[in-house]
Amino acid sequence: MKLNDLVAKAASISAGEWVLLLVAYAVLYQLSLSVYRVTLHPLAKIPGPFLNKISGWTHVFWAISGKRHLYLTWAHAKYGPIVRNGPNELSFTTDTALRSIYLPKNANVQKAKMYLTMDAATGSQSTHSTIDRMEHAARRRVLSHAFSESAVRSAEQFVNQNLETLFRIIREKSKESGDSGWARADMGKLMNWYSFDVMGTLAFGRKFDCLESDEHRIVPSLLLSGSRFTHSLCHMPIAWVFNRIVASPLMKVIGGKPARDNVKYYEYADKQLRERIEEENSLDEKSQIARKDSTHYLLHAKDPETGRGFSYSELHADASLLIAAGSDTVSTTLAAAIFYLTRNPRALEEATREVRAAFASPEEVRGGPVLNGCKYMVACIDEALRIAPAVPSDLPREVLPGGMDIDGYHIPAGTTVGVGAFAIHHSEKYYPEPYKFMPERWIPAEKEGEWPSAEDVRMAHAAHCPFSIGIRGCLGKNMAMMELKITLARLLLEFDMRLPAKFGENEPEGGGKDEEWGRDRKDEYQLTDWFICDRSGPVVELKPV
Ligand code: HEM
């Protein structure tokens, strides 16, 4: 047939027939792609749910449901330690995979493209969402000044200042409660407001005042709602389409309230940053040096190798990152620790006894050997970070050209690989009875033959990754551990705590409530995974000592 005849034939096809042809083509294309993905694809032999093997869209369902961590745990229980989690995606639950993917400086991976969507509303990438390895290393070098040993030490005062406010509020509630002195408090909410206030002081040199006034309390909910929105978007196979329009008026209409909340959160961070810059400019050099919050380090940062400082949009992305990374994660951990301690009276008693023997007064509670020597209390924190990791799902990394070997498999370039903290933290290989809160699992038994042996504890540590590991692991880990230890130690020192005998109708207990899939354990603190976590409760009773 000649070209002219072909053109004439095409012109004679009606619009309806064109649509049918296009649909038939799309169906045929998807069918043959699916057949390829389950037969000849290099990952074809790796087990996993059928739908995940043929389409990446299943991720969107789990991301929207907030149950991605539960799904990954289920998939590993069913298919084993390596699961094909998408057409080009693998999930692992072994300590060896954890170390291969995340630990080595020169591991042949970079962050997956989904990270590009996370901070897209700022028009830039934060240190966290920067994909390029060299660029990330330069950004991290600069930001790490804000997390040096001396920065962590001087941040203790901010933690203590905000604890005074938190404890005053609880003491006032206790007085109001009458004779018994037991104050009833939603520690999920209080810990949220407290950790945002601490983060405000650490990042911008002033608390957000969430504990004491309603005005800024909107911010934690904006952050969660916005994170829910970007988390769902970034798991879409076509996420890149949205990166430039994530903060556009069009997206605010299509994406509804969560899209608008996302923009509002970044506007809030922008306002904090601008005000902080104005303050910095009005201070003389001596006062600037005295005021060493994270923004101070960011503003004066110069990469020693290139001499380059941060652009405003980079500063904005990092300021937004710091509020998010350092507040919600800490409050999830503290709320989970309180949830489990009040449900495990023996553990609560042991941790309280230990802290009260170590410190005679709140002023003595400082970072250092005495605090670190409270081994049982520190084990309670490690156990809370294990059982309810604040960043619960996998942190996807894309394998670069040349591929890499993980657990004896050669993984081709372009494959996304990851280890989900919640899934590996609930693997019986590392943690016997993984759904039980057992701080003992972190302390080797004194007698030979008793559980846990030194080897059991070593295994537990090998798979423990709440902060992730390696060069892209949490930069604020030491800051977070300082805040967690001081807060829990002072709480146990200054208050008795217990579970209420009965809960009111609208009081969030924090545990599983119904037969909903994956959430049927009443004694499990429930996380809703939107990269960072939503949760409610626990409501507990506290009495000043
Ligand atoms: C319990 C508390 C915390 C947990 C569980 C936690 C967890 C994590 C995890 C898992 C990552 C890696 C994310 C990824 O690979 O996508 C991360 C990164 C990060 N975290 Fe944390 N975090 C906590 C507290 C903090 C605090 C208090 C700060 C700051 C004050 C902070 C600052 C950061 C930063 C800047 C990064 C990005 C590091 C980089 O990409 O180089 N985090 N965190």
Side-chain angles (χ1 to χ4, degrees), residues 441-480:
R441 67 172 90 242
W442 299 101
I443 304 168
E446 279 169 15
K447 285 194 192 141
E448 206 169 313
E450 279 185 4
W451 182 86
S453 66
E455 177 56 13
D456 293 328
V457 175
R458 192 196 64 76
M459 286 280 282
H461 278 292
H464 196 230
C465 56
F467 296 99
S468 190
I469 57 172
I471 39 147
R472 307 244 30 182
C474 180
L475 194 49
K477 180 178 173 181
N478 293 340
M479 190 74 87

Side-chain angles (χ1 to χ4, degrees), residues 10-76:
S12 69
I13 296 174
S14 70
E17 285 170 328
W18 270 117
V19 172
L20 267 180
L21 267 175
L22 277 176
V23 171
Y25 170 78
V27 170
L28 209 67
Y29 173 77
Q30 188 56 47
L31 259 175
S32 20
L33 191 62
S34 302
V35 170
Y36 164 73
R37 283 173 169 171
V38 291
T39 54
L40 300 172
H41 191 283
L43 306 180
K45 292 210 164 56
I46 297 181
F50 178 75
L51 276 180
N52 289 36
K53 289 182 182 178
I54 62 172
S55 169
W57 284 91
T58 49
H59 290 297
V60 185
F61 169 76
W62 291 113
I64 290 174
S65 73
K67 291 183 179 174
R68 196 171 147 73
H69 61 306
L70 300 176
Y71 151 73
L72 284 170
T73 310
W74 165 84
H76 281 287

